[in-house]
Amino acid sequence: MARECSANLCTCCTSFITSTGLVILFLWLTLRTQQPKCFLQSLYLPSLNKTITSNHEHSNNTVIFKLKLINTNKDKGVLYHTVHLTFALLLDANTTRPLANTTLEAFYQGHGRTTQKWSSAEAHGGGVNSTVNGTVFLRVDFATRVNYKIMLFYSKRHRLSGGANVEVNVSSGEKLDPKGIRLGSEAAPLRLRWIALSTFLVSLCFYMTY
């Protein structure tokens, strides 16, 4: 009788450990998120386009750009809050001067989707009037907060930000690199408190049953 009870107890413990492990694995796969990727696809400074400026008395100090945002999560949507962008002119290797800033309105991005946003900003502070060794470099930074949509619920807000130095053609005003430039991003990892809570509930149900 004692051996039978011991065997049943071992079976129950094994089943509990296995079930708990599977629940934790499922929740980890469900709640695990990957931060979106942001690329600067296009950048154009009309004031540097010599063809235009040679035929007009007043230069256009607008900064025209296109961003590409990629949601790498195949089963989670991303809600972007206001996206803040800043552009600065590199005066030397360690010094920058603010050039322009703008914002993009909040938007939602579906599972595994790619979104492209055209926008512009008005340059100030003298415009682009400085070069580094005959080359124009801009520092482009972005910052926003995102919520991940997991099933029917949204996670807490997470900060997403990054930037890169962009080389601009001094004759055409377009960025030299024809490919999209990754604006390095960082985001706080999604906390796993829900996994801990779920594990506790599974354990509680087990003890109430047995």
Side-chain angles (χ1 to χ4, degrees):
M1 186 68 177
R3 290 184 178 180
E4 184 177 350
C5 290
S6 178
N8 290 336
L9 181 60
C10 290
T11 301
C12 291
C13 289
T14 302
S15 299
F16 168 70
I17 294 173
T18 302
S19 300
T20 302
L22 291 175
V23 169
I24 293 175
L25 177 61
F26 171 76
L27 291 174
W28 180 77
L29 292 174
T30 301
L31 298 178
R32 182 173 61 99
T33 59
Q34 294 179 332
Q35 60 188 19
K37 297 179 180 179
C38 181
F39 294 87
L40 181 68
Q41 290 296 106
S42 300
L43 180 70
Y44 175 51
L45 303 175
S47 62
L48 292 181
N49 190 327
K50 294 182 178 179
T51 303
I52 296 177
T53 55
S54 62
N55 297 325
H56 294 77
E57 295 182 1
H58 302 288
S59 61
N60 183 348
N61 285 326
T62 304
V63 179
I64 303 172
F65 64 93
K66 180 172 71 172
L67 288 185
K68 181 171 75 172
L69 299 109
I70 303 175
N71 178 11
T72 55
N73 297 282
K74 300 302 181 182
D75 55 354
K76 301 173 185 67
V78 178
L79 176 62
Y80 296 83
H81 295 268
T82 302
V83 181
H84 301 270
L85 290 118
T86 59
F87 301 85
L89 179 66
L90 269 70
L91 303 180
D92 55 47
N94 302 310
T95 308
T96 61
R97 175 173 62 78
L99 182 66
N101 59 78
T102 188
T103 59
L104 300 179
E105 294 183 357
F107 64 96
Y108 176 79
Q109 188 177 43
H111 308 168
R113 295 295 182 88
T114 296
T115 303
Q116 302 198 57
K117 295 280 188 179
W118 279 100
S119 189
S120 62
E122 189 68 23
H124 50 76
V128 181
N129 54 11
S130 178
T131 61
V132 179
N133 297 324
T135 304
V136 172
F137 281 93
L138 293 188
R139 175 68 188 183
V140 182
D141 290 282
F142 85 100
T144 185
R145 291 185 179 276
V146 298
N147 295 90
Y148 297 99
K149 186 177 182 181
I150 303 173
M151 297 182 181
L152 300 177
F153 306 96
Y154 283 97
S155 70
K156 63 172 291 185
R157 291 187 183 185
H158 298 275
R159 178 177 172 79
L160 186 69
S161 63
N165 294 336
V166 181
E167 185 176 2
V168 181
N169 189 306
V170 294
S171 298
S172 66
E174 299 177 327
K175 70 181 183 67
L176 280 179
D177 192 344
K179 298 180 180 179
I181 298 176
R182 173 78 184 274
L183 301 181
S185 57
E186 54 184 17
L190 187 63
R191 293 182 179 179
L192 301 182
R193 61 180 181 275
W194 295 111
I195 294 181
L197 177 60
S198 299
T199 304
F200 170 76
L201 292 176
V202 171
S203 302
L204 182 62
C205 291
F206 171 79
Y207 287 116
M208 291 178 64
T209 303
Y210 296 96

